[in-house]
Amino acid sequence: MKRLSSTNPCTLGDYFDNRQEPGRAGLPVMSVTQHDGLVLRNAIDRRTESTLGPEDHLLVRAGDIAYNMMRMWQGACGLADRDAMVSPAYVVLRPKSNVDPAFAYQLFKSERVLHLLWAYSHGLTEDRLRLYFDDFSSIPVTLPDLPVQKSMGHALLRWDAAIAQARRLVVLKEQRLYGLLARLIGVHQSGPLTDGWSRDELGALATFKSGGTPDRGRASFWSGDVPWISAKDLKTFELDSSVERLTAEGAAKITLVQAGTVLILVRGMGLFKDLPIGVAMRDLTFNQDVKALMPKPGLDPRFLAYALKASRKTLMDRVDSAGHGTGRLATDVLEALPVSFPAIPDQHSILQVLDAATREQQQARRMVEVLAKEKRAVLQRVLPNGAVHDNAEPELAAASA
């Protein structure tokens, strides 16, 4: 695929005006999200009530692009598919006749242009960076002719639709997994015990180990081949790799656990949204935000991990704040958790069903990752260098100073 050819040098202000019309009664209110674009405000979990009247909002028309001034450099913009209202804290871009909105929306998601959007934003710290329309309009770009824009824009939107479909499949697979967890394990966690099932507190069923972080100033501790699990690695059920790794020397400074150990996040902001749990597939280490559980004889490690996932809501209800808004799941809460389990043969029968459901969920997630990676590669190939002036970099230095 060839890169887009450039035409006459322009700035984004040559392609967009700033729509500043007030909202109108009867129109839906929409919010900008980083990954999903413009969505109905009442459809997002973090919605907050607003006392603003329709006339206090901004009007956004179908084909406009609205962006969050503080998060545009992270891709927080959305292409409107209908007339609506948005927060007055947003900027509404009205496309001129020489730009295709679908193409421009994709352009704003490319790595090269995101870098420019960051460079032209102003603020003392990254959490206070703002991209006002005047600065946005001064960003130099070179866009292809309109027919090429339309062809590329609609092709990339179809790619987005495929990714969205794959994400919906992930949600369905996750719902199926948790439905199976509830039926096969969850129903046994409280109330009278079923024949063949036993129950005890987690503290009596597993040995707890704490993790740590070796001295980051010692280069000889890091960049080895021993996995060092942290919150960012607890996104998969089976743990055999990590973003950061230790050398054998570094691993010797903290706790090393064997394959079959259950790991659970006990500290971090993510605990307010989920309870990450995984099973070590090889010997590895972990940091202080993670707790390791080594089940005693009679309890399969994978069954224990699934039992904890089945008790996810109960445990998340006990998460408290450890300061600065960080979530914390206290060790005594974990130790006191009642865990019910059948004999080993029945555990293994249940594991066959749950492992199959987990594999389906992981395959769906990999599909999303592959599609997203392929789209990023296309964006990187066809948009960045052809859409940005060669003289953009010198202006960056002044803009970011």
Side-chain angles (χ1 to χ4, degrees), residues 14 56 97 116 141 154 184 249 278 296 300 302 306 325 366:
D14 293 311
D56 298 317
S97 60
L116 284 170
V141 295
H154 290 297
L184 298 177
E249 182 183 359
K296 297 178 180 179
D300 187 284
R302 295 178 76 87
Y306 283 127
R366 281 194 292 270

Side-chain angles (χ1 to χ4, degrees), residues 3-195:
R3 292 184 185 277
L4 300 177
S5 60
S6 61
T7 55
N8 294 324
C10 299
T11 65
L12 285 174
D14 293 311
Y15 296 101
F16 293 95
D17 288 322
N18 184 10
R19 188 186 298 280
Q20 295 182 304
E21 300 176 44
R24 298 175 184 174
L27 291 177
V29 180
M30 307 193 80
S31 293
V32 170
T33 64
Q34 185 172 337
H35 300 293
D36 299 320
L38 273 171
V39 299
L40 292 171
R41 180 184 291 175
N42 60 12
I44 55 179
D45 293 335
R46 63 179 184 276
R47 65 181 183 270
T48 56
E49 297 299 325
S50 173
T51 59
L52 297 178
E55 68 283 354
D56 298 317
H57 288 78
L58 288 175
L59 177 68
V60 57
R61 291 192 176 276
D64 286 352
I65 296 175
Y67 74 78
N68 182 333
M69 283 194 294
M70 296 184 67
R71 292 288 179 264
M72 181 57 164
W73 60 276
Q74 295 176 317
C77 63
L79 176 61
D81 61 358
R82 72 194 82 174
D83 290 358
M85 297 183 291
V86 295
S87 165
Y90 294 161
V91 172
V92 178
L93 303 174
R94 182 178 68 81
K96 297 182 180 180
S97 60
N98 58 350
V99 64
D100 178 68
F103 173 84
Y105 174 69
Q106 299 294 338
L107 181 74
F108 298 151
K109 297 288 188 176
S110 69
E111 292 181 11
R112 181 73 177 99
V113 175
L114 284 173
H115 176 68
L116 284 170
L117 295 170
W118 166 81
Y120 279 78
S121 298
H122 295 276
L124 296 177
T125 59
E126 284 199 343
D127 62 342
R128 293 184 178 276
L129 288 179
R130 286 177 170 81
L131 181 64
Y132 296 97
F133 178 76
D134 287 347
D135 298 308
F136 168 89
S137 64
S138 67
I139 295 176
V141 295
T142 301
L143 302 188
D145 293 336
L146 192 59
V148 178
Q149 292 182 38
K150 288 183 177 180
S151 175
M152 286 301 306
H154 290 297
L156 289 167
L157 282 179
R158 287 195 294 271
W159 212 310
D160 284 344
I163 293 173
Q165 183 67 24
R167 284 177 175 158
R168 286 192 287 271
L169 181 61
V170 170
V171 172
L172 290 174
K173 295 297 184 182
E174 183 172 293
Q175 291 174 344
R176 179 172 182 270
L177 173 60
Y178 276 100
L180 289 170
L181 283 168
R183 291 196 296 273
L184 298 177
I185 299 179
V187 295
H188 301 281
Q189 297 306 305
S190 60
L193 285 172
T194 305
D195 289 343

Side-chain angles (χ1 to χ4, degrees), residues 266-281:
V266 294
R267 183 183 174 90
M269 294 292 293
L271 283 176
F272 293 116
K273 297 180 179 179
D274 198 6
L275 185 65
I277 297 165
V279 179
M281 303 304 291

Side-chain angles (χ1 to χ4, degrees), residues 338-393:
V339 176
S340 302
F341 55 96
I344 284 289
D346 290 331
Q347 291 181 39
H348 290 167
S349 296
I350 291 172
L351 287 175
Q352 287 182 353
V353 177
L354 296 178
D355 281 344
T358 298
R359 285 193 296 270
E360 290 180 5
Q361 182 194 39
Q362 291 171 341
Q363 288 170 356
R365 284 180 173 173
R366 281 194 292 270
M367 185 187 303
V368 173
E369 292 169 359
V370 168
L371 288 171
K373 184 177 181 180
E374 289 176 349
K375 184 194 168 187
R376 285 196 301 270
V378 171
L379 282 170
Q380 183 71 14
R381 183 172 176 81
V382 304
L383 292 181
N385 291 342
V388 181
H389 290 335
D390 292 337
N391 65 348
E393 287 299 339

